[in-house]
Amino acid sequence: MCGIFGYIGDKEKEVALMANRALCELEYRGYDSWGIAAEVSGKMFAIKAIGKISLASDKELKGVMGKMSIGHSRWATHGGVTEANAHPHFNTSRTIAVIHNGIVENHEEIRSFLRGKLGNSVDKLFLSETDTEVIPHLIDYYITHEGKTFEAAFVEAGRMLEGRYAVVVMKLGEPYLLAMRDGSPLVVGKGEHEYFLASDVPAFIDHTRQVLYPGDREYMKVSADAIMLRNLDTGKKVDREWITVTWDKGSATKEGYPHFMLKEIMEQPLSLDKAIHQEDAKLEEFARLMKESEHLFFIGCGTAAKMAKLGELYAARVAGKLTNAYVGSEFAAYGQFLNKRSTIVAVSQSGETADVLEGLRVAEKEGARILALLNVVGSSIDRMSKKSLFLNAGPEIAVASTKAATAQIAVLILIAHALAKKLPEGKHLMRSAVKDIKAWLIPDLSRDIKKIAEKLLNNPSSALLRGPTNSSPYQNTPPSLVFPRRAPETSSAISLQQYPLRDIYIIGRGLNAPVAQEAAIKIQEVSYIHAEGFPGGELKHGPIALIEKGTPVIALIPNDETKRDMESNTMELRSRGAYVIGIAPDNSKLFDEWIQVPNLGLASPIASIIPIQLLAYHLAVLRGNDPDKPRNLAKSVTVK
Ligand code: F6R
């Protein structure tokens, strides 16, 4: 989604360069174009471009000295990817510059309003196809034609906007920035005689760790030495607390890894360790609030929706508690069943996902209680929830969720144990799981999985094609210390025909059924290879028709009650020629490739998903894709 940045200070600085560096820190949000505006010697400096922010030539930005600037990275929604559509947008005299994240749903009505006031020629003033451009023209109208001050015009315009937005506006000659938010993220940073505004903290963490999160429908007047927060509708002053951000800049940089995605996968022993360091009292209070309710729901989107499903399974298995997990965008249909005795647990990394927020609004309207499991403190979902638990995974920069997903699993396991009043048991289980993951998730694992990715892509016919098996019986072999290793030979290649890598299927049962679906999301989003995950039992109800000789299938086979049935499903696949990659603690003659994983008991979904995160990463890189910024995707999906 779009990224926004604003700066104001009491001394002249290289403000365009500063905005550019800040936008680079927000690159993870996804964008297709960007722009910067600054007041330089009383004149408007502006630059806009399509493509990579980091490729901007410093020459154009260096030496642009001023006391305030704004910058924006755009992820197209209204209007194509063009320089004209990139922000900032201006009024006709180019004295007012506006950046905006979100959607102005009533932009057509605002245009009609301006047409009504100023005549049809107003349309000629618009230079872009964006919804945003109505904002500078509306503010200009109130200043020029109704004699309002910049602040009063801004407030009047703000009250007219419908939809979700975070907006920052500067005006030549005015020594302050104005900003407002409703539904879209905006955080303020306080330095020495300077303030920062941004969609997220990494944009200014090099300058300050003191941050403040404005609420919905609040606006800010920010000068070099002061900030005033007011309610947009009532104009009443609002007090908000400054928070000190404790995580390191290092956790928002690549630390020597070629990509954030790989860094975030490999640091999971640490992020999991942090995730399970939850205060007992907080977990117990969270569980108490859940238990009090008659109807319990988990909601999330994408990866977080699969984790929400795991939340449902853990609550059932560990605590014997019936809950229902739904996808955020589909939750509204269940609004009719909600009341004061309902509790919704939102699962979200960013805490900003529009589809989850939409579901929560339905719940709020019915008086239901909202709880949340989040990675971002102060996010929109955090502010809506009665109680939030945090993943403590540190900023997740790569678009594909990896360390946040496993942290969600870890905390959901603890919550289920707290629900069952067995928290010490849950903590013991997770501590031992983290220890095993630490010993297992080493560079060798990544290297060996890369070899499998190469094999799948290079597609040596001898490895991927063989005749039907002799239905050799399943046979356990002792686990190897080397990960992963080839499965014992079962049958030989009978054809040199090639299977072009079109599809990858993943199967799992029980706790690993949602993991199979999450695995498919990981492979799809970064490698752009078609992947599908489903419960092993569903195979014979349709998908098995897709299996050809050499079709890669990943089977998740932990040592739990699903093992026998999973083995039968894998056998069914092998006998139709599938190339089976087994992710399991134990080797089997059923596997063509074996990725050995530690035996984590209830935490097996963590062990199952990590190798697939690595496989997806390597497939992406080998295919020349940027795994950190996959096409068409954004890190926080703040639009419906
Ligand atoms: C996939 C992925 C997305 C997110 C989804 C929800 O790897 O990251 O599917 O899980 O957009 O995002 P959050 O967790 O921020 O609510």
Side-chain angles (χ1 to χ4, degrees):
M1 299 300 108
C2 306
I4 62 181
F5 175 76
Y7 171 78
I8 185 151
D10 68 344
K11 290 188 196 66
E12 298 244 315
K13 287 193 173 171
E14 289 200 294
V15 283
L17 214 51
M18 181 196 287
N20 168 272
R21 299 295 183 262
L23 293 180
C24 288
E25 299 294 345
L26 297 175
E27 277 190 314
Y28 71 87
R29 298 175 62 81
Y31 66 96
D32 40 51
S33 52
W34 60 277
I36 291 168
E39 180 172 337
V40 181
S41 312
K43 295 212 169 75
M44 187 71 82
F45 164 88
I47 182 169
K48 291 185 183 194
I50 291 169
K52 289 242 172 198
I53 300 163
S54 42
L55 298 181
S57 145
D58 279 5
K59 260 201 279 168
E60 290 173 89
L61 304 170
K62 266 195 170 151
V64 176
M65 304 295 289
K67 293 182 181 170
M68 61 177 162
S69 64
I70 58 178
H72 185 271
S73 49
R74 174 170 187 258
W75 195 78
T77 50
H78 283 70
V81 181
T82 63
E83 269 187 35
N85 287 340
H87 301 209
H89 291 287
F90 302 93
N91 59 335
T92 306
S93 58
R94 288 176 78 84
T95 51
I96 298 169
V98 174
I99 52 174
H100 163 225
N101 171 19
I103 295 178
V104 181
E105 282 171 2
N106 60 338
H107 67 107
E108 280 302 347
E109 286 159 38
I110 296 176
R111 276 192 192 222
S112 310
F113 167 82
L114 289 172
R115 257 183 234 122
K117 297 285 181 189
L118 304 172
N120 286 346
S121 58
V122 156
D123 287 324
K124 293 206 191 95
L125 306 181
F126 286 85
L127 306 177
S128 77
E129 304 156 306
T130 65
D131 51 333
T132 304
E133 206 185 352
V134 296
I135 304 173
H137 291 294
L138 192 56
I139 296 175
D140 184 282
Y141 163 77
Y142 283 120
I143 296 174
T144 313
H145 298 276
E146 296 206 4
K148 291 191 189 294
T149 62
F150 174 35
E151 183 178 348
F154 172 84
V155 169
E156 199 67 38
R159 287 179 184 160
M160 271 180 85
L161 301 185
E162 283 171 21
R164 358 182 86 245
Y165 50 81
V167 173
V168 183
V169 186
M170 59 177 251
K171 182 174 183 304
L172 292 184
E174 299 286 5
Y176 55 89
L177 292 173
L178 291 169
M180 60 185 159
R181 68 170 294 275
D182 189 3
S184 294
L186 184 66
V187 52
V188 186
K190 176 165 69 171
E192 290 273 311
H193 306 290
E194 58 185 4
Y195 282 92
F196 304 84
L197 296 159
S199 306
D200 200 355
V201 178
F204 56 68
I205 197 163
D206 275 345
H207 304 278
T208 179
R209 290 172 169 276
Q210 293 296 304
V211 308
L212 174 152
Y213 291 92
D216 278 340
R217 299 197 71 74
E218 287 175 8
Y219 84 89
M220 285 131 274
K221 182 176 180 180
V222 195
S223 59
D225 285 303
I227 178 166
M228 174 79 82
L229 263 92
R230 290 183 189 275
N231 180 288
L232 184 63
D233 303 304
T234 62
K236 277 205 183 126
K237 267 174 73 176
V238 178
D239 280 328
R240 291 216 169 259
E241 230 182 297
W242 290 94
I243 298 169
T244 306
V245 168
T246 50
W247 42 267
D248 295 331
K249 168 79 177 159
S251 54
T253 63
K254 286 186 203 148
E255 288 172 0
Y257 284 97
H259 299 100
F260 282 112
M261 183 174 176
L262 185 59
K263 177 200 162 226
E264 288 162 6
I265 294 172
M266 296 310 288
E267 75 189 15
Q268 286 177 101
L270 186 68
S271 56
L272 280 165
D273 197 32
K274 287 189 182 162
I276 62 170
H277 272 89
Q278 302 282 339
E279 282 174 41
D280 288 3
K282 284 194 181 161
L283 281 166
E284 278 155 2
E285 168 68 357
F286 198 89
R288 188 187 63 74
L289 292 170
M290 283 173 78
K291 247 195 241 169
E292 265 178 17
S293 22
E294 266 175 31
H295 330 107
L296 261 172
F297 300 88
F298 285 95
I299 65 169
C301 292
T303 291
K306 309 304 169 215
M307 301 307 125
K309 185 71 189 171
L310 269 173
E312 177 196 295
L313 290 171
Y314 282 126
R317 179 166 309 198
V318 179
K321 186 96 188 146
L322 176 66
T323 63
N324 292 94
Y326 293 108
V327 165
S329 54
E330 297 295 326
F331 188 59
Y334 303 93
Q336 57 182 314
F337 304 113
L338 303 179
N339 56 41
K340 287 200 172 74
R341 295 182 310 281
S342 318
T343 293
I344 322 301
V345 182
V347 182
S348 172
Q349 188 283 129
S350 63
E352 299 294 347
T353 302
D355 288 332
V356 177
L357 282 163
E358 216 51 44
L360 294 183
R361 282 194 195 103
V362 172
E364 204 172 44
K365 211 171 103 208
E366 303 301 335
R369 177 183 287 159
I370 296 169
L371 304 177
L373 179 53
L374 305 166
N375 200 30
V376 180
V377 182
S379 55
S380 301
I381 296 178
D382 184 19
R383 287 194 299 271
M384 274 182 95
S385 75
K386 180 172 171 67
K387 192 123 246 128
S388 299
L389 284 176
F390 293 99
L391 303 173
N392 305 327
E396 193 178 62
I397 308 289
V399 164
S401 189
T402 54
K403 63 174 180 171
T406 50
Q408 282 159 354
I409 301 174
V411 184
L412 286 165
I413 291 175
L414 295 182
I415 292 172
H417 280 84
L419 269 176
K421 291 198 178 301
K422 292 196 287 201
L423 192 49
E425 202 179 297
K427 285 225 161 156
H428 176 74
L429 170 99
M430 284 316 301
R431 273 197 288 268
S432 133
V434 171
K435 212 165 126 224
D436 289 350
I437 289 167
K438 208 177 217 160
W440 164 70
L441 182 47
I442 55 172
D444 282 5
L445 179 70
S446 173
R447 193 201 54 217
D448 290 339
I449 290 176
K450 183 178 175 195
K451 283 189 195 142
I452 298 180
E454 280 165 347
K455 204 179 282 182
L456 292 178
L457 289 171
N458 295 338
N459 193 13
S461 50
S462 54
L464 288 186
L465 280 170
R466 54 171 163 56
T469 65
N470 307 326
S471 311
S472 55
Y474 171 82
Q475 207 184 309
N476 257 348
T477 54
S480 153
L481 290 175
V482 185
F483 309 97
R485 55 173 290 214
R486 284 279 299 155
E489 286 302 317
T490 47
S491 54
S492 56
I494 55 153
S495 165
L496 289 178
Q497 224 180 307
Q498 292 216 331
Y499 174 84
L501 184 58
R502 284 188 308 263
D503 321 284
I504 299 178
Y505 298 100
I506 310 102
I507 55 167
R509 282 174 172 255
L511 293 172
N512 280 280
V515 180
Q517 293 174 335
E518 161 56 6
I521 296 183
K522 282 290 94 58
I523 295 171
Q524 293 158 1
E525 68 182 328
V526 295
S527 77
Y528 312 151
I529 294 168
H530 170 248
E532 256 188 85
F534 35 81
E538 285 293 289
L539 260 182
K540 54 191 172 297
H541 300 292
I544 204 157
L546 297 166
I547 304 301
E548 295 170 33
K549 278 188 182 164
T551 306
V553 178
I554 302 173
L556 312 176
I557 313 191
N559 282 349
D560 64 12
E561 71 291 345
T562 65
K563 186 169 174 174
R564 268 178 172 276
D565 287 338
M566 278 301 298
E567 286 164 3
S568 311
N569 295 145
T570 309
M571 194 97 83
E572 286 155 17
L573 289 162
R574 269 189 71 84
S575 53
R576 276 138 190 105
Y579 184 78
V580 177
I581 301 168
I583 296 187
D586 298 327
N587 202 354
S588 161
K589 285 198 168 187
L590 295 168
F591 302 157
D592 294 285
E593 302 284 346
W594 175 39
I595 301 176
Q596 186 178 5
V597 298
N599 187 2
L600 301 186
L602 274 179
S604 71
I606 301 179
S608 299
I609 196 60
I610 288 174
I612 298 182
Q613 295 171 346
L614 282 166
L615 183 68
Y617 168 79
H618 287 300
L619 285 171
V621 175
L622 289 166
R623 300 190 84 210
N625 305 344
D626 180 349
D628 288 345
K629 295 184 209 90
R631 66 187 182 202
N632 305 337
L633 288 171
K635 184 68 187 163
S636 330
V637 187
T638 53
V639 288
K640 274 211 272 177

